[in-house]
């Protein structure tokens, strides 16, 4: 199994642009999580899905952030418009029971 | 709000020494997990201990859980330079769903 796949690995964009981060969970996992990690705030849960349905999006910072999971093998996290304070590493993780498996992350820099 | 709080925030030891990291949490849990993160990488699951367990071993790792004190410890014995990483505890309040991560302990093992 290839593990959780995220793309792109690095993204540099200018303020105001739309950013789309992508995640492919491990096949058979029914939970998918999006996290954001910064030095200041640590690892924050943004949203998670169970069987493609969003369960808790209370961690999504603002309306500029949205996440979708159209099927069991794909999820996106979109930021529109992006701002410099959105610069962080965004992780996707999936699980079936217990432990979560993390992707390598997308390092986002908003100039 | 933060569930897990690791202590210390940073730890520097010599190769061969033991490293002990502690985690405290606030609410009842189903299980507690420890993860490791190497610089620039995603988190990797190390070990899971259930609420009805008191101690668990995996290789050079030993985890204890004291539910009465709402605390856990991770012991790495005979540390190696390759153990240099950040270590996070994460709690699962319910039977499924999202983990709540602490801010981590940054371990540095000097050769």
């Amino acid at each position: 199994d290839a593990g959780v796949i995220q793309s792109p690995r690095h993204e540099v964009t200018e303020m105001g642009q739309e950013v789309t981060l992508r995640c492919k969970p491990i096949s058979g996992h029914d939970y998918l999580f999006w996290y954001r990690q910064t030095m200041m705030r640590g690892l924050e849960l943004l949203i998670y899905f169970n069987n493609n349905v969003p369960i808790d999006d209370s961690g999504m910072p603002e309306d500029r952030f949205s996440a979708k999971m159209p099927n069991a093998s794909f999820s996106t996290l979109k930021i529109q418009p992006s701002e410099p304070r959105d610069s962080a590493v965004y992780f996707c993780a999936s699980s079936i029971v217990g432990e979560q498996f993390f992707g390598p992350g997308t390092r986002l820099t908003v100039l | 709000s933060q569930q897990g709080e690791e202590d210390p925030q940073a730890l520097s030891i010599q190769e061969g020494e033991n490293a002990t990291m502690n985690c405290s949490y606030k609410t009842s849990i189903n299980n507690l997990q420890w993860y490791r993160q190497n610089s620039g990488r995603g988190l990797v699951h190390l070990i899971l201990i259930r609420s009805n367990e008191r101690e668990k071993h995996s290789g050079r790792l030993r985890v204890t859980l004291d539910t009465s004190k709402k605390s856990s410890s991770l012991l790495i014995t005979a540390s190696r330079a390759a153990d240099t990483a950040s270590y996070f505890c994460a709690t699962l309040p319910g039977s499924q769903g999202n983990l709540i991560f602490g801010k981590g302990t940054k371990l540095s093992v000097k050769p």
Side-chain angles (χ1 to χ4, degrees):
Chain A
D1 198 325
V4 175
I5 298 172
Q6 290 186 247
S7 65
R9 293 293 309 276
H10 301 272
E11 176 82 31
V12 180
T13 191
E14 291 189 346
M15 184 173 67
Q17 296 297 307
E18 177 180 295
V19 174
T20 299
L21 311 181
R22 297 173 176 80
C23 175
K24 179 177 174 12
I26 293 173
S27 177
H29 284 191
D30 54 358
Y31 282 87
L32 184 139
F33 307 83
W34 281 101
Y35 293 92
R36 177 173 69 177
Q37 187 177 38
T38 60
M39 289 291 291
M40 291 297 293
R41 300 173 70 92
L43 192 66
E44 302 173 277
L45 176 70
L46 299 177
I47 185 172
Y48 79 96
F49 296 83
N50 179 221
N51 292 320
N52 313 337
V53 176
I55 302 300
D56 184 355
D57 65 355
S58 59
M60 296 285 263
E62 300 167 35
D63 291 346
R64 298 184 297 106
F65 285 68
S66 63
K68 293 182 180 178
M69 192 164 186
N71 57 62
S73 59
F74 184 64
S75 177
T76 59
L77 178 68
K78 188 175 290 188
I79 308 172
Q80 166 64 14
S82 59
E83 296 182 3
R85 60 193 167 117
D86 301 330
S87 297
V89 181
Y90 292 80
F91 289 102
C92 174
S94 70
S95 74
I96 186 163
V97 175
E99 67 177 280
Q100 292 185 11
F101 293 80
F102 281 74
T106 295
R107 182 172 295 276
L108 173 65
T109 302
V110 183
L111 303 173
Chain B
S1 63
Q2 198 81 17
Q3 169 79 315
E5 295 280 349
E6 289 91 344
D7 168 54
Q9 290 187 340
L11 180 61
S12 183
I13 59 174
Q14 293 293 132
E15 209 166 27
E17 293 179 341
N18 295 342
T20 300
M21 290 160 269
N22 303 297
C23 169
S24 60
Y25 57 92
K26 295 175 184 170
T27 64
S28 61
I29 60 171
N30 179 282
N31 67 59
L32 185 144
Q33 303 176 33
W34 284 91
Y35 287 77
R36 164 194 169 126
Q37 184 180 32
N38 287 79
S39 182
R41 304 283 186 92
L43 280 72
V44 174
H45 181 264
L46 294 176
I47 195 165
L48 181 154
I49 186 165
R50 300 187 196 287
S51 60
N52 60 353
E53 297 176 308
R54 292 296 165 257
E55 189 171 312
K56 204 160 183 181
H57 295 255
S58 176
R60 293 184 296 113
L61 305 180
R62 173 178 167 251
V63 170
T64 62
L65 178 65
D66 186 336
T67 52
S68 66
K69 294 181 180 176
K70 291 186 168 59
S71 68
S72 172
S73 68
L74 170 68
L75 168 68
I76 304 175
T77 59
S79 64
R80 304 166 183 168
D83 294 329
T84 295
S86 291
Y87 292 82
F88 295 84
C89 73
T91 52
L92 185 70
S95 58
Q96 288 290 350
N98 61 304
L99 289 172
I100 303 175
F101 284 85
K103 290 202 171 182
T105 291
K106 197 164 186 176
L107 174 65
S108 175
V109 181
K110 297 183 176 33

